[in-house]
Amino acid sequence: MSQIILFWSVLACEAILALAMACAAYRLARGPRAQDRVLSLDAFYVSGMLLLVTFGIRTGTTLYFEVALIIGALGFVSTLALAKFLMRGEVIE
Amino acid sequence: MTGDQFPLWAAIAVSVLLVAGSLLMLAGCIGMVRFRSFYQRIHAPTLGTSFGTIFILAGSVVYFTVTQLRPAVHEVLIFVFVSVTTPVTLMLLARAALYRDRIERVQDVPASKDPLDNAEMQTSKKPS
């Protein structure tokens, strides 16, 4: 019984997160200006990171957790660098 | 999905946490699509990065604590990292967008109170 509940809830969670990533990708492709695209890239990697956490729950392995941690770290740096680029026109001054 | 003796209360708790977190993330992304201006849009995804992340990571903590596949403190690391870095990045992004809008003289953006900033706006060119 609990296996069935877990299977369907993890599947629903993954589907909803994939829908959220589709919304972020729509804004990423459509976005009228550059800051909209950077913002949607930020939401895109956060939902991808959460999707990897749910993959880890589904498979029961610890590997996906480390991938999620790396995505969190690299996404922070990339969004920061892109915001700095929009502000100044260059990343390293 | 390991083991047949996974307790029912833990399964229900994990399910509720996962679905609630993913629904919050979806609400944030829908808001990012639906809102009209950038300054409204930048508020929406923080719904997912704050409580969406907390709920999904809490579901992961409950699952891995009950099955005892590994010590379940690692998710706290992701939570601390995301909750510290998201306000920093979005604040910097909003300031960059405000700077660009002021330079291009977009309407309904308030002018800076710093006279040095306004002098800089007069002389600087449009960003590409």
Side-chain angles (χ1 to χ4, degrees):
Chain A
M1 181 64 190
S2 58
Q3 296 298 321
I4 299 172
I5 291 176
L6 268 181
F7 174 77
W8 284 106
S9 64
V10 170
L11 195 67
C13 179
E14 284 169 0
I16 293 169
L17 282 177
L19 208 58
M21 285 179 85
C23 288
Y26 171 77
R27 182 52 77 187
L28 188 65
R30 173 96 188 278
R33 303 202 61 202
Q35 51 260 34
D36 294 302
R37 296 176 206 268
V38 176
L39 176 65
S40 61
L41 185 68
D42 191 80
F44 193 81
Y45 85 76
V46 170
S47 46
M49 189 190 73
L50 295 181
L51 195 58
L52 282 175
V53 172
T54 59
F55 280 165
I57 294 178
R58 171 189 289 278
T59 58
T61 58
T62 65
L63 199 60
Y64 287 109
F65 164 77
E66 291 159 11
V67 180
L69 194 59
I70 289 172
I71 287 181
L74 288 185
F76 163 65
V77 175
S78 70
T79 310
L80 205 65
L82 282 170
K84 196 89 192 310
F85 178 74
L86 289 185
M87 187 105 161
R88 297 284 181 198
E90 57 191 2
V91 178
I92 301 171
E93 299 180 16
Chain B
M1 304 301 165
T2 58
D4 294 331
Q5 64 274 18
F6 195 78
L8 187 62
W9 62 268
I12 292 175
V14 170
S15 309
V16 168
L17 285 171
L18 284 183
V19 174
S22 55
L23 279 177
L24 277 175
M25 191 75 218
L26 179 65
C29 286
I30 286 178
M32 196 173 64
V33 170
R34 295 275 300 168
F35 278 141
R36 293 181 182 278
S37 80
F38 173 76
Y39 301 103
Q40 291 171 344
R41 256 176 241 140
I42 201 170
H43 290 87
T46 56
L47 200 65
T49 53
S50 58
F51 268 94
T53 309
I54 288 173
F55 282 159
I56 289 184
L57 292 180
S60 181
V61 165
V62 170
Y63 180 79
F64 283 109
T65 305
V66 170
T67 57
Q68 289 180 344
L69 284 174
R70 61 185 167 92
V73 291
H74 294 95
E75 280 87 356
V76 179
L77 207 61
I78 292 185
F79 162 66
V80 167
F81 201 75
V82 169
S83 64
V84 165
T85 56
T86 302
V88 176
T89 54
L90 290 189
M91 185 75 82
L92 204 61
L93 187 62
R95 291 186 67 88
L98 193 59
Y99 179 78
R100 284 162 66 93
D101 279 347
R102 276 176 185 159
I103 280 186
E104 298 180 7
R105 294 193 173 73
V106 175
Q107 293 302 312
D108 58 27
V109 169
S112 175
K113 286 177 182 170
D114 191 355
L116 286 177
D117 265 356
N118 289 329
E120 185 188 0
M121 296 298 155
Q122 299 293 328
T123 57
S124 57
K125 296 180 297 184
K126 280 187 175 184
S128 58

